[in-house]
Structure formats: C-alpha cells, structure tokens
Amino acid sequence: MAATTQTNLENDLGYAGRAAGPCVFVLFGAAGDLTKRKLAPALFNLGKAKLLSDNFAVIGVSVDDLSLEEFRSQVTSFLPVGTESADTLEWFRKRLFYERGDFADPDTFTKLRERLASLDGEQHTEGNYLFYLATAPKFFSQIVQQLGAAALSRQENGRWCRVVIEKPFGHDLESAQALNRDIKNVLLENQIYRIDHYLGKETVQNIMVFRFDNAIFEPIWNRRYVDHVQITNAETVGVERRGGYFDTVGTLRDMVPNHVMQLLSLTAMESPVSFQADAVRDEQAKVLHAIQPLSSDDVLQRSVRGQYGPGLLGGGKVSGYRAEPGVSPESRSETFVALKLNIDNWRWAGVPFYFRTGKRLALRYTEIAIKFKRMPFELFRNAPFHKLHTNTLVIQIQPVEGISLSFGAKVPGPLLRVGSVDMSFEYSKYFGADAYTGYEVLLYDCMIGDATLFQRADMVEAGWRVVDPVLDVWRALPPRKFPNYASGSWGPAEADQLLELDGRQWRRIEP
Ligand code: BG6
C-alpha cells in the first residue's frame, strides 16, 4: 500500500509529485460492467489527481465490434466529469485505444503485441504493461497462457509486466490451486496482482494503521482481554442482474474466502516486521493458516446458511430469491452465511470469531466488533438502572466509515446510575467525503508495483481451506427449509442461536 490514500490523492501529488511511471493498461473485457462502473472512473480520477504518467495509454480488448470512436464514447460516458475536469477528459480520451479480438485466438495476441510495440513508440510507454483481466473467470488461465505464448509476459531490459485478476479465484480449494498453477506456469508470483476490492476501502486499510500505529490498543488485542469478535457484512441488495451467475456460486463462495477472510486476517494478524508487501502478507497468511479446520460435526454446529424469501425492505415489498431473474425456482443456493471460527495461536486461543454475511438484510452495514471481557467483578451491580455492559470497539467499514468505542459512564444526577456511552470517530467528519470508487489506490499500486493490498496464492488457498469442509457438508446435506429468512430481517433464527448457545448475542445494529 502506498503512503498515498484515496482521500488525499490530489493533495499528496501537490507536494510529493508521485505520478506512476509510463505504462500501457491493457483491459481484457473492456466492454463489460466492471470497466464502466469502476475501472474507467478510477483511472480517470487518477488522471485528475495527476497520478498517471503523461506516457500512459489504455488498450481495451474485447470481442465486441467497436470502432475507436465508439469505444472512446462508451468509456467516457460513464466518467464523473465536472466542468473542472474537462481538460483531463480530453487528456484521458486521447489515450484510449481499442483492439477487437477473441481471447481464444492466438492472432488476437499477435495483433496486441504489434499494437503495444507501436504505442510504446508513439506514447513512450517504455514497454511496461499492466494486463487487467476484467473477464469471466473461465478466461483467466487462457489469457495468461496466450500472453506467455505471445512473449508478452516477459520482463527484460527494465520493462515490467503485471497481470491483475479479479475474484473469483477458483470455486473451491482444488480449482484455486489449479488456477494458481496455471498462471504461475507463465508468471512469477510477483507479477500477479489478485484484487479483492475490500482492500480498496479506506477503513479496511485503516485496520492496520489503527492497530499498529497506536500504542494503546495492541496490548489488549488478545485472548486476555477480548471475549470474542463479530464481523457483520450485511447487504440490502439482492442478486440484482447477477442471478444466473450467483445461483451457481452462493454467498459462501462469493464472500467468505475473499472479503471476510481479508477482514478477519487484518483484525487477527500479528504485527508485520515492516510495511513491505511480503512482510504484511506473510502475517495475513500465517493467521489464515491458524484457523482451526472444521470437522463435519463442527460444520453442523458452527455454520448457518439461509436464503431470503419475500419481505419488506426500504418501505416496499421485495420478492424472494427464488423469484429473481436467472434463479431456479427450486434453488438451494444460500444468500446468507454465519460461521464461528477459532484461531489456534497464542493470541487468540479460546476467542471465537463469529461472522455473518447476507443479502437482502435489514440494513447495509459492514463492521468488525471487538467485544471485550467483562470486569472481574461488578462494583456497581446494585446501582439503579445499571445495565450489564462490556466495552466494545467497533470498526465501521460501510456505509459509515469510522471507529467507535463504548464504555460505561455515570449518568448525571444525584443517584449513581451507570450507562453505556460511545466515543466515536467518523471519517467524513475529519477528512470530508471522498468521491473515489475504491479502485484508485489499487490500480495505482499495481502501476507502482506495490503488492501489499493484493492476495498472494497462499492466502487465496488458505481462505478456501477454511471454506472447503463447509462446502462438502452442505453439498451432502441439502438445505430443507429454504427460504428461511424474510427480506428485510437480520437473517435466519439459527444465526442468533449460534451465539445464544455460547451465551452471546449479535450486536444490535441500528440505522
Ligand atoms: C462482491 C460480491 O465481491 O462484493 C457481491 O460478488 C457483493 O455479491 C459485493 O454484493 C459486496 O461489495 P460491497 O463493496 O458492496 O460490500
């Protein structure tokens, strides 16, 4: 992770002048949704912040039959252009190029090589290439093989070549290992940038700063003081237009080995010895490997799955998952998962990590809550209105970005009453709202060669190792009661029972 953050990209450039070096950004799947929603706006924002080199170009590659003008219009029509950015728009537009081609056809890559060579001459991009695979996962191995065969993956004479892959990285441990093997036949690990967009979120990056740049929290960040950790990732959206894809995947695969494991590893990892990419990722990988493997019995007792039915959300009626476009009316795919995991190391032994993630829940909310242990004895238990409380530190990821700490305080007045109050910090209040997509910092880091915020092969595989036993048991025992939660609720009752059995409760999250 570069020292630059999204919120101060522009300021940072103002006094540090840290634009990335010359390169061509080759975008496979250029006509797709990701390009429009995230990648093109993020590149444009980097251009606005003068964090791209003047010697920069984008080549879009896809099977669509588009003229150069059509491609340029398609990309620029989605950009957040204000009157102040008209010059950047022109700057950016002139740097967009298009190459039509089928990813299975070696000819596409021969033409691409020629195009890149001529761009190197015209735009002085110095033979540095960033290949971004914004395609369906079935093309990942194929494109990488073709890049190798066309000699586009070589790094020689000071040139670099990096390949960015967006999840899913496989659909289970075996397929993730096969994908890693395939791409590593062509590329070195340090040429591969596996993106998890959660690492582009300010507050996710801030977990490390919070933990390792403040002396007061680390001493209590362990089994002696922490009772348990709760990670909630709640979405109000359903599967939208992705029903066909989502129904073959389900929430466990879609969210857990990647996003949830990122949140968990950053929360639970040991301090890295430096802020170098591999030092940070070594610690993340270590803690992922320390997650206690789940036996079949554990899966039955510590996992919950759910599927949303119809319900009320946002003031209106919404349909159930099985009625979504592209979803089978008998679908058994889960749209909600809760799990209890243990980490077998000195810091966390005996401290459960619970998480829940689901679609069509009551609120859009992602947070990590560290619940601390109770006081050793209760001095104020006889105080009127005394409610049992424990300290909770909450890292709010979205939509509110911030950190809050709750603690007991005396309620003013002649009687000794104790209430629970919060100290809270909100990003937007300190730093202002940011208008970034979350991809800026990730794309910029790819261009400067900083892989800290990207997943290494061992991390991806460790995530799947946690999930695989659950997939096996769930496959063998199909759910009997789907749908089992109403849209607009907090998920199936079993998710509450998961904590109640341990004498605990999910934090009540309110708007
Ligand atoms: C994606 C999943 O990776 O993350 C989606 O495929 C999910 O199903 C999305 O909705 C959630 O991302 P965010 O940033 O909205 O929390």
Side-chain angles (χ1 to χ4, degrees):
M1 177 173 57
T4 310
T5 64
Q6 292 158 41
T7 41
N8 67 8
L9 282 175
E10 287 178 56
N11 294 342
D12 191 62
L13 183 83
Y15 48 81
R18 291 164 50 94
C23 71
V24 185
F25 189 99
V26 184
L27 185 47
F28 291 99
D33 210 37
L34 189 68
T35 305
K36 293 174 202 154
R37 284 188 306 111
K38 303 284 184 185
L39 303 178
L43 287 173
F44 180 69
N45 285 337
L46 286 174
K48 262 200 313 201
K50 306 252 179 309
L51 285 170
L52 295 177
S53 164
D54 223 26
N55 304 327
F56 171 79
V58 175
I59 302 185
V61 186
S62 94
V63 284
D64 290 15
D65 205 0
L66 297 174
S67 67
L68 177 60
E69 269 321 297
E70 282 167 330
F71 178 64
R72 287 183 170 174
S73 308
Q74 204 177 73
V75 171
T76 50
S77 62
F78 290 93
L79 300 180
V81 186
T83 43
E84 80 300 345
S85 45
D87 287 352
T88 311
L89 180 64
E90 199 34 43
W91 181 94
F92 189 60
R93 193 184 162 83
K94 279 197 315 214
R95 285 167 175 73
L96 296 172
F97 301 91
Y98 186 70
E99 194 65 56
R100 192 201 160 278
D102 184 334
F103 307 144
D105 182 358
D107 228 31
T108 304
F109 293 81
T110 315
K111 281 194 300 178
L112 181 62
R113 193 179 53 216
E114 287 159 10
R115 180 47 99 72
L116 282 166
S118 71
L119 267 184
D120 283 339
E122 292 155 28
Q123 306 279 339
H124 310 290
T125 39
E126 298 184 5
N128 298 325
Y129 307 138
L130 184 64
F131 297 103
Y132 197 111
L133 276 47
T135 65
K138 64 178 181 201
F139 296 119
F140 292 168
S141 293
Q142 189 177 50
I143 294 175
V144 173
Q145 301 304 327
Q146 298 268 28
L147 290 174
L152 281 169
S153 58
R154 286 198 204 140
Q155 309 198 94
E156 43 196 15
N157 306 325
R159 303 166 161 213
W160 55 258
C161 154
R162 299 177 190 132
V163 176
V164 187
I165 303 184
E166 180 94 27
K167 75 168 250 285
F169 313 115
H171 51 89
D172 56 15
L173 178 59
E174 203 184 328
S175 56
Q177 286 170 326
L179 176 62
N180 280 332
R181 259 196 316 272
D182 282 358
I183 55 182
K184 289 214 269 188
N185 272 337
V186 177
L187 302 164
L188 299 171
E189 179 62 39
N190 66 13
Q191 291 180 281
I192 309 166
Y193 285 65
R194 298 176 190 81
I195 275 203
D196 181 315
H197 80 275
Y198 264 55
L199 290 177
K201 295 182 192 284
E202 274 304 327
T203 17
V204 174
Q205 293 169 32
N206 191 42
I207 300 171
M208 277 189 282
V209 178
F210 180 77
R211 289 190 54 200
F212 304 128
D213 201 42
N214 291 295
I216 61 173
F217 300 109
E218 224 17 52
I220 54 170
W221 209 261
N222 57 48
R223 71 185 141 87
R224 223 170 291 156
Y225 298 95
V226 176
D227 179 72
H228 71 282
V229 177
Q230 296 184 10
I231 300 178
T232 295
N233 173 266
E235 297 185 85
T236 47
V237 289
V239 285
E240 315 301 291
R241 288 171 295 134
R242 299 163 69 224
Y245 163 75
F246 188 88
D247 209 33
T248 61
V249 176
T251 289
L252 184 65
R253 288 186 170 105
D254 188 42
M255 298 295 291
V256 180
N258 33 66
H259 308 325
V260 174
M261 287 301 138
Q262 291 297 337
L263 298 180
L264 186 145
S265 63
L266 292 171
T267 308
M269 70 196 258
E270 295 300 316
S271 168
V273 290
S274 78
F275 212 50
Q276 295 298 311
D278 275 332
V280 173
R281 300 187 300 175
D282 284 348
E283 294 306 334
Q284 284 184 278
K286 251 195 244 167
V287 79
L288 290 173
H289 280 116
I291 295 175
Q292 210 175 71
L294 296 169
S295 67
S296 305
D297 272 353
D298 292 335
V299 174
L300 296 176
Q301 283 157 25
R302 298 196 210 156
S303 74
V304 174
R305 57 188 148 165
Q307 185 191 74
Y308 64 83
L312 286 175
L313 196 65
K317 281 190 190 162
V318 290
S319 49
Y321 175 69
R322 290 177 175 183
E324 300 278 19
V327 173
S328 150
E330 281 105 45
S331 172
R332 290 169 163 177
S333 301
E334 77 286 348
T335 59
F336 177 99
V337 175
L339 262 183
K340 171 182 168 184
L341 296 175
N342 292 320
I343 298 178
D344 281 341
N345 65 16
W346 276 72
R347 187 188 283 265
W348 295 117
V351 179
F353 280 66
Y354 301 95
F355 68 79
R356 54 179 170 171
T357 174
K359 296 198 181 288
R360 280 262 196 270
L361 298 180
L363 274 183
R364 174 170 182 255
Y365 212 88
T366 301
E367 67 164 39
I368 300 165
I370 316 291
K371 302 279 278 177
F372 290 94
K373 291 191 169 163
R374 289 194 206 294
M375 299 58 81
F377 80 104
E378 283 191 60
L379 187 60
F380 300 112
R381 68 177 166 275
N382 295 328
F385 306 106
H386 177 231
K387 249 188 11 201
L388 269 183
H389 83 272
T390 53
N391 300 111
T392 306
L393 185 115
V394 182
I395 301 173
Q396 296 159 303
I397 312 278
Q398 61 190 18
V400 180
E401 298 184 311
I403 294 178
S404 73
L405 176 66
S406 73
F407 55 93
K410 179 182 171 302
V411 179
L415 296 177
L416 180 67
R417 290 188 290 157
V418 182
S420 182
V421 296
D422 280 347
M423 270 196 310
S424 60
F425 147 75
E426 258 184 52
Y427 255 78
S428 58
K429 290 192 183 145
Y430 273 76
F431 301 118
D434 87 42
Y436 293 104
T437 63
Y439 273 74
E440 288 81 359
V441 83
L442 298 175
L443 299 185
Y444 177 77
D445 281 0
C446 292
M447 287 185 241
I448 63 166
D450 183 341
T452 313
L453 296 178
F454 297 84
Q455 286 182 277
R456 239 173 23 193
D458 55 340
M459 293 163 68
V460 170
E461 292 174 17
W464 281 114
R465 228 168 249 125
V466 174
V467 161
D468 253 22
V470 186
L471 285 172
D472 290 343
V473 173
W474 285 4
R475 199 177 304 116
L477 299 173
R480 273 173 293 167
K481 291 190 302 183
F482 274 8
N484 61 351
Y485 70 97
S487 290
S489 69
W490 277 103
E494 291 89 331
D496 294 334
Q497 287 152 17
L498 181 71
L499 269 72
E500 281 159 15
L501 283 172
D502 295 343
R504 301 184 173 109
Q505 279 181 336
W506 290 109
R507 251 172 54 78
R508 175 131 33 110
I509 296 172
E510 278 154 3

